[in-house]
Amino acid sequence: MSDHVHNVVIIGSGPAGWTAAIYAARANLDPVVYTGVAKQTPAIQLPGGQLMLTTDVENYPGFPDGVTGPEMMQRFQKQAERFGTRVEPRDIVRVTFHDTKPHELVTDKDETILAHAIIIATGATANWLGLENEQRLARSGGGVSACAVCDGALPMFRDKPLAVVGGGDSAMEEATYLTKFASTVYIIHRRDELRASKIMQERFLEKPNAKVLWNKGVVDVLSAKDEHGHEVITGVQLKDTQTGEVSTLEVGGLFVAIGHTPATGFLADSGIDLDEKGYVILRNRSTETNISGVFAAGDVADAFYRQAITAAGTGCQAAIDAEHWLAHHNHI
Ligand code: FAD
């Protein structure tokens, strides 16, 4: 183990992590970003974060013509590196927080790193069905998404029948949002009743173009080439969970809304406060956690907004909070 103590280590390389790095580097804090490594957990986790799984990002200010998710994350990284951010392509697998001495972080290569301040920006991965065609079409912009608010307004989904998989509040919210653009929105649900609250169900069901397909699971995603030779979704294959009968539903888009998993497994037994779903709990309307010198930003601490701009915003806040904390504790 090296004796060197970093001022600030940032865990995660999505919008929150890179923004924290830009601010910390410009404040001469000499930050190090641990980017994470690619894995399927079963949700997909990638260096660069969840935007690596999408094509067009049209709602991030400053890109009037849109930008692809991977290009945007490359630009974030380049900007952070320009100010001297160091980048380590590693996962943090364990942490030990201390009151009076530097915090310890252990990487997937079993190296131990010391840091005065830590910014946790590990995000929350969207849960997918795990079907091969679903994954391919999601990555290629072929009409499969895990974020209706992000992608629903894209021209490819306008006036088409769309399917939403899920039965909870967020599935209802996504489906209700899509009724503004779609000809019909089908909720596909494995059971004969929804888990969502009554009010969320009603908000969806009162729309004239809302439909629920009960006792159905998606077993495959069907596709064909469009007039530009681009592979796009044409429908989903459904299996009845009661009778086993297989049927096809023609749709122009599939939105998977079966929840998110915050990437906080490595914080188990660390003493950091997590809520019942595993999201980091913040204190005092800031990015502070219950552990002195440990801050959190982005989707790992936000089960509600889950947008690149909000993640970047809290990344900025975390870097400023960390800088104040380091100064207050005479580390800088
Ligand atoms: P993430 O982007 O999830 O980044 C987390 C990072 O942490 C990753 O780099 C990961 O590798 C790393 N990590 C995780 N665990 C560890 C560990 N133990 N050690 C080291 N590193 C670790 N938002 C928009 O605003 N506009 C859009 O158009 C849009 N489209 C989307 C499309 C899809 C399909 C999805 C799934 C999401 C979309 N979003 C969009 C939401 C957006 O991607 C997220 O809100 C945003 O990426 C959250 O940023 P983050 O930095 O908090 O986390």
Side-chain angles (χ1 to χ4, degrees):
M1 177 173 82
S2 155
D3 291 342
H4 177 71
V5 183
H6 296 286
N7 283 327
V8 56
V9 164
I10 297 160
I11 314 174
S13 58
W18 290 129
T19 306
I22 292 166
Y23 276 77
R26 293 192 77 241
N28 288 334
L29 299 182
D30 200 16
V32 189
V33 171
Y34 282 80
T35 63
V37 294
K39 53 187 177 290
Q40 184 110 23
T41 63
I44 303 164
Q45 216 167 72
L46 293 169
Q50 293 292 284
L51 287 182
M52 302 301 283
L53 298 170
T54 191
T55 46
D56 297 325
V57 178
E58 295 198 319
N59 53 10
Y60 199 92
F63 295 95
D65 301 319
V67 59
T68 68
E71 188 192 335
M72 187 161 122
M73 295 326 298
Q74 255 175 25
R75 286 172 173 244
F76 271 52
Q77 175 167 357
K78 208 167 157 195
Q79 192 171 350
E81 286 178 324
R82 181 179 150 213
F83 299 110
T85 299
R86 281 182 287 155
V87 178
E88 294 288 348
R90 298 255 180 285
D91 248 356
I92 298 299
V93 295
R94 211 167 50 249
V95 291
T96 309
F97 298 133
H98 297 287
D99 278 342
T100 52
K101 56 179 193 171
H103 302 302
E104 290 173 44
L105 303 99
V106 179
T107 73
D108 55 323
K109 299 277 181 221
D110 219 19
E111 303 138 324
T112 299
I113 300 129
L114 302 178
H116 293 304
I118 295 172
I119 296 174
I120 300 164
T122 47
T125 49
N127 298 333
W128 295 88
L129 299 168
L131 304 169
E132 200 181 315
N133 291 340
E134 167 207 43
Q135 298 296 305
R136 196 181 61 258
L137 291 164
R139 284 174 190 236
S140 66
V144 176
S145 172
C147 182
V149 177
C150 312
D151 295 333
L154 292 173
M156 70 181 296
F157 297 121
R158 299 265 162 158
D159 303 318
K160 301 231 174 100
L162 303 176
V164 175
V165 183
D169 275 351
S170 50
M172 290 310 118
E173 193 164 327
E174 305 251 306
T176 307
Y177 180 77
L178 291 172
T179 57
K180 290 191 241 179
F181 314 106
S183 55
T184 309
V185 178
Y186 297 95
I187 282 272
I188 299 173
H189 191 51
R190 296 183 65 81
R191 284 185 282 275
D192 58 4
E193 61 180 333
L194 297 166
R195 222 173 350 99
S197 58
K198 206 94 205 118
I199 183 152
M200 295 299 288
Q201 291 189 33
E202 279 167 12
R203 231 176 255 168
F204 172 66
L205 292 169
E206 73 191 11
K207 303 286 179 196
N209 55 347
K211 287 212 164 77
V212 183
L213 301 180
W214 303 107
N215 300 318
K216 300 275 186 291
V218 174
V219 289
D220 203 357
V221 182
L222 311 172
S223 61
K225 296 255 163 76
D226 67 8
E227 65 273 25
H228 310 292
H230 183 56
E231 191 190 4
V232 292
I233 183 171
T234 53
V236 285
Q237 202 167 59
L238 304 176
K239 189 169 180 183
D240 192 295
T241 53
Q242 311 260 298
T243 63
E245 189 191 332
V246 174
S247 57
T248 298
L249 176 72
E250 285 182 18
V251 289
L254 172 68
F255 290 83
V256 180
I258 53 174
H260 286 74
T261 306
T264 49
F266 69 104
L267 296 169
D269 306 322
S270 68
I272 199 162
D273 285 344
L274 305 176
D275 71 11
E276 71 284 356
K277 288 189 177 152
Y279 287 87
V280 177
I281 297 174
L282 300 179
R283 302 194 333 165
N284 305 328
R285 296 173 65 87
S286 75
T287 61
E288 278 174 35
T289 68
N290 62 312
I291 311 275
S292 180
V294 179
F295 305 87
D299 288 9
V300 73
D302 172 18
F304 185 71
Y305 295 107
R306 289 201 290 248
Q307 293 295 295
I309 187 73
T310 50
T314 54
C316 155
Q317 286 176 268
I320 292 173
D321 289 342
E323 186 187 2
H324 285 180
W325 183 90
L326 287 163
H328 184 73
H329 290 80
N330 299 320
H331 295 305
I332 52 171

